[in-house]
Amino acid sequence: MVVAIIGVGLIGGSLAISLKEKGMASRVIGVDQQEQNIKKALDLKLIDAAATLDEAMQQAQLIILAIPVDALMQLLPAMLDKVQPQHVIMDVGSTKKKILELVAGHPNRGRFVAAHPMAGTEYSGPEAAIPNLFTNRTMVLCDVKNSDEDALEIIETLVDALQMRLVYMNAEEHDLHTAYVSHISHITSFALALTVLKKEKEQGRIFELASGGFESTVRLAKSSPDMWVPIFKHNRNNVLDVLDEHIHQLQQMKQLLEEEDYDAFYKLIQKSNKIRKILK
Amino acid sequence: MVVAIIGVGLIGGSLAISLKEKGMASRVIGVDQQEQNIKKALDLKLIDAAATLDEAMQQAQLIILAIPVDALMQLLPAMLDKVQPQHVIMDVGSTKKKILELVAGHPNRGRFVAAHPMAGTEYSGPEAAIPNLFTNRTMVLCDVKNSDEDALEIIETLVDALQMRLVYMNAEEHDLHTAYVSHISHITSFALALTVLKKEKEQGRIFELASGGFESTVRLAKSSPDMWVPIFKHNRNNVLDVLDEHIHQLQQMKQLLEEEDYDAFYKLIQKSNKIRKILK
């Protein structure tokens, strides 16, 4: 099958590698607004050829949108206007509700499958693409009842080829859950980086003692604002809810420390230790 | 040299492994209040023999205190009372100011070297001990002007044998810096775990979509309250300062999201991306 990948960055590029490797794509066509991304993707042999969006839609059967969610909102309706019965369009966006609302009434809605691979790194661009990014990770497919059966089957085959775990969810649930297990992690990392960078400016030498623990909590702060601002925008209400709750938890810890109520602080940490059951 | 390790947990046990392996310790004696820790440490061959604290001080030249900082405060003065001129006592505690204030006037203060290896994992106990935990990590030695020259030399040899990077700092500076690059990371992880665990209780299935990013920011929430409550207690003022600043940063992000000021939000993320220069 010929696959077109719109946006040859970390996710698009990694998909290109894996779909070729697993025999799912006979040929990968890359589309990217940024000339330098196309050049790098060709140099790195992530893609077989470059094309415009229109050319790509003529040549490919499967078209994967791997661009920030705001750009996705711009492109998707016009693509559905032009879609042919043999086409399947899949996205890999990190939010789902607004996108699915946007195309809800479209006569060709059935050719679209809304997907979100729960995989990534803090890096971006074609040079960040890596093999096996998706292996053993979860792929969420949203509101699949609105996709045509044959289109869905192709995406399910793709999920299988990528050796991913498949989860079905509705868009609302998806956006709520990702706010809690993905979006807030990025917010706390950004805020933590800002906190420590500010102190470094006043004090200097702050990072000399940074070790694995700090790196672990702050590495997501390397993530690109081009990707993340549109996510926070799309998922604003859920992100605000979880941010409220997180600030509340921090304020509770602060209060216990102010009151020197170390017994209650101990119990709070014990409670948070229950995360051991969830993380391996 | 015979080395006694008081507290054969993650750090004590890992030191036992490395000091034997690097030829720094000819024999390691383990002391631990918890019978089961001693048993495990013997089973795992982390230590050559078990002893009481008094026996250990009679047999060993170097005595390493690898216990929570509150327990350290309890033991150290009495140990300095009994110390002999050939003894060196080193601690590996995560806070330094209160400990060094406590022993400041002690006639045998010179036999003590205050150390903090910037290494660890979220696990605890003898079974968490691993080889090479300290390799290429930073060892901070605090207020070394108050340690006897020969005692300091032995510890510097140890740092070298462990292939660690050596940093000298005063206790005040150390406690401030670790609040920013270690203690706050644990607070945010504990709070994040509590936030998401609470939602899981209401909603269920929240963790189904958790991926590497979430795991990275929340893994420190597995850390033991026995170790961490005393650290927060000792370093209360610095931790409160950094916690204040961190909550402030989160509130700023929240406000921008409420006001839908995405340009300012974008700039904030860009600013936090400067962490790229610091983390490799």
Side-chain angles (χ1 to χ4, degrees):
Chain A
M1 175 165 49
V2 179
V3 178
I5 292 183
I6 322 301
V8 287
L10 162 70
I11 299 294
S14 299
L15 275 172
I17 296 172
S18 293
L19 292 177
K20 280 291 273 281
E21 193 194 296
K22 310 293 183 187
M24 182 91 192
S26 55
R27 186 175 155 79
V28 175
I29 303 166
V31 180
D32 205 299
Q33 270 200 315
Q34 293 194 279
E35 197 62 47
Q36 62 184 38
N37 280 356
I38 284 292
K39 201 188 159 315
K40 276 187 209 157
L42 284 167
D43 285 351
L44 294 165
K45 299 192 195 316
L46 301 176
I47 56 174
D48 298 302
T52 64
L53 183 56
D54 280 342
E55 288 164 0
M57 283 191 74
Q58 274 155 26
Q59 294 169 39
Q61 185 189 354
L62 171 61
I63 301 138
I64 300 177
L65 283 158
I67 51 181
V69 287
D70 54 344
L72 186 54
M73 300 277 282
Q74 300 285 328
L75 281 192
L76 186 59
M79 286 174 70
L80 283 178
D81 291 346
K82 286 181 231 166
V83 89
Q84 298 297 315
Q86 76 277 14
H87 281 146
V88 180
I89 302 176
M90 175 183 111
D91 80 323
V92 292
S94 297
T95 58
K96 286 288 167 270
K97 194 159 168 270
K98 277 197 197 295
I99 292 159
L100 287 172
E101 276 170 4
L102 181 74
V103 298
H106 199 287
N108 297 327
R109 163 67 181 90
R111 305 317 301 163
F112 175 58
V113 179
H116 182 196
M118 302 307 301
T121 73
E122 64 273 35
Y123 304 107
S124 47
E127 63 277 25
I130 49 174
N132 299 315
L133 180 63
F134 306 102
T135 315
N136 298 326
R137 296 295 185 175
T138 298
M139 177 76 97
V140 193
L141 300 185
C142 286
D143 294 359
V144 291
K145 65 183 185 308
N146 299 324
S147 297
D148 292 345
E149 223 164 285
D150 68 304
L152 182 58
E153 263 168 35
I154 287 177
I155 301 308
E156 286 171 339
T157 309
L158 173 146
V159 173
D160 212 44
L162 293 173
Q163 297 171 268
M164 297 184 78
R165 201 169 66 90
L166 183 55
V167 169
Y168 301 98
M169 240 178 215
N170 69 49
E172 211 146 327
E173 224 184 340
H174 168 275
D175 285 9
L176 173 71
H177 289 208
T178 50
Y180 276 81
V181 295
S182 166
H183 305 171
I184 188 67
S185 288
H186 287 79
I187 298 247
T188 60
S189 258
F190 292 133
L192 195 56
L194 290 170
T195 302
V196 185
L197 284 163
K198 189 177 168 190
K199 196 67 181 178
E200 169 79 1
K201 217 175 246 182
E202 295 167 15
Q203 172 85 17
R205 290 186 72 188
I206 282 286
F207 293 104
E208 226 168 285
L209 304 193
S211 66
F214 177 71
E215 185 160 342
S216 173
T217 46
V218 91
R219 75 169 175 86
L220 298 179
K222 298 188 223 170
S223 304
S224 156
D226 292 322
M227 171 172 174
W228 281 95
V229 171
I231 292 173
F232 298 138
K233 193 171 168 179
H234 277 200
N235 207 15
R236 179 170 167 268
N237 290 342
N238 286 321
V239 170
L240 278 173
D241 279 351
V242 57
L243 191 46
D244 255 347
E245 177 61 32
H246 183 56
I247 290 172
H248 169 77
Q249 294 289 351
L250 287 169
Q251 275 165 338
Q252 193 185 347
M253 289 188 152
K254 189 185 148 195
Q255 197 187 330
L256 292 177
L257 210 50
E258 276 169 347
E259 293 167 355
E260 304 202 55
D261 186 349
Y262 297 112
D263 288 342
F265 206 106
Y266 189 97
K267 279 181 197 139
L268 220 50
I269 294 183
Q270 265 188 323
K271 207 168 141 189
S272 86
N273 282 167
K274 288 191 181 139
I275 204 76
R276 286 179 193 152
K277 283 190 225 160
I278 284 112
L279 305 179
K280 58 229 154 264
Chain B
M1 175 164 55
V2 178
V3 177
I5 292 183
I6 322 301
V8 286
L10 162 69
I11 300 294
S14 299
L15 276 172
I17 296 171
S18 293
L19 293 177
K20 280 289 275 281
E21 192 194 296
K22 309 294 183 187
M24 183 88 193
S26 55
R27 183 175 157 79
V28 174
I29 303 166
V31 179
D32 205 298
Q33 270 199 316
Q34 293 193 281
E35 196 62 46
Q36 62 185 38
N37 280 355
I38 283 293
K39 200 189 160 314
K40 276 187 210 157
L42 284 166
D43 285 351
L44 294 165
K45 298 194 197 315
L46 300 175
I47 56 174
D48 298 301
T52 64
L53 183 55
D54 281 342
E55 287 163 1
M57 284 190 75
Q58 275 156 25
Q59 294 168 38
Q61 185 189 355
L62 171 61
I63 301 136
I64 301 177
L65 283 157
I67 51 181
V69 287
D70 54 345
L72 186 54
M73 299 278 280
Q74 299 285 330
L75 281 192
L76 185 59
M79 287 173 70
L80 284 178
D81 292 345
K82 286 182 232 167
V83 90
Q84 298 297 313
Q86 77 278 13
H87 281 145
V88 180
I89 302 176
M90 176 183 110
D91 81 323
V92 292
S94 296
T95 58
K96 286 285 167 273
K97 195 161 167 269
K98 277 198 197 294
I99 292 160
L100 288 173
E101 277 170 5
L102 181 74
V103 299
H106 198 287
N108 298 328
R109 163 68 180 89
R111 305 316 301 163
F112 175 59
V113 179
H116 182 194
M118 302 307 300
T121 73
E122 64 273 34
Y123 304 107
S124 47
E127 62 278 25
I130 48 174
N132 299 315
L133 180 63
F134 306 102
T135 315
N136 297 325
R137 297 295 185 174
T138 298
M139 177 75 97
V140 193
L141 300 185
C142 286
D143 294 2
V144 292
K145 65 183 187 304
N146 299 325
S147 298
D148 292 345
E149 224 164 283
D150 66 305
L152 181 59
E153 265 168 34
I154 286 177
I155 301 309
E156 287 172 340
T157 309
L158 173 146
V159 173
D160 213 44
L162 292 174
Q163 296 171 270
M164 297 184 80
R165 202 168 66 91
L166 184 55
V167 169
Y168 302 98
M169 240 178 213
N170 69 49
E172 212 146 326
E173 226 184 337
H174 167 274
D175 285 8
L176 173 71
H177 289 208
T178 51
Y180 276 81
V181 295
S182 166
H183 306 172
I184 188 66
S185 288
H186 286 78
I187 298 250
T188 59
S189 257
F190 291 133
L192 195 56
L194 290 170
T195 302
V196 185
L197 284 164
K198 189 177 167 189
K199 196 67 182 179
E200 168 79 2
K201 218 176 245 180
E202 295 166 17
Q203 172 85 17
R205 288 185 73 188
I206 282 286
F207 293 104
E208 227 169 284
L209 304 193
S211 67
F214 177 70
E215 184 160 343
S216 174
T217 47
V218 92
R219 76 169 173 87
L220 297 180
K222 298 188 225 170
S223 303
S224 156
D226 292 321
M227 172 173 173
W228 281 95
V229 170
I231 292 173
F232 298 138
K233 191 172 169 178
H234 277 201
N235 207 14
R236 180 170 166 267
N237 291 342
N238 286 320
V239 170
L240 279 174
D241 278 352
V242 58
L243 191 46
D244 254 347
E245 178 61 32
H246 184 56
I247 290 172
H248 170 77
Q249 294 289 351
L250 287 169
Q251 275 166 338
Q252 194 185 347
M253 289 189 152
K254 188 185 149 194
Q255 198 187 331
L256 292 177
L257 210 51
E258 276 168 347
E259 292 166 357
E260 305 202 54
D261 186 349
Y262 298 113
D263 288 343
F265 206 107
Y266 190 98
K267 279 181 197 136
L268 219 50
I269 293 184
Q270 265 189 323
K271 208 168 140 189
S272 86
N273 282 166
K274 289 191 180 139
I275 205 78
R276 286 180 192 151
K277 284 190 225 159
I278 284 112
L279 304 180
K280 61 225 152 268

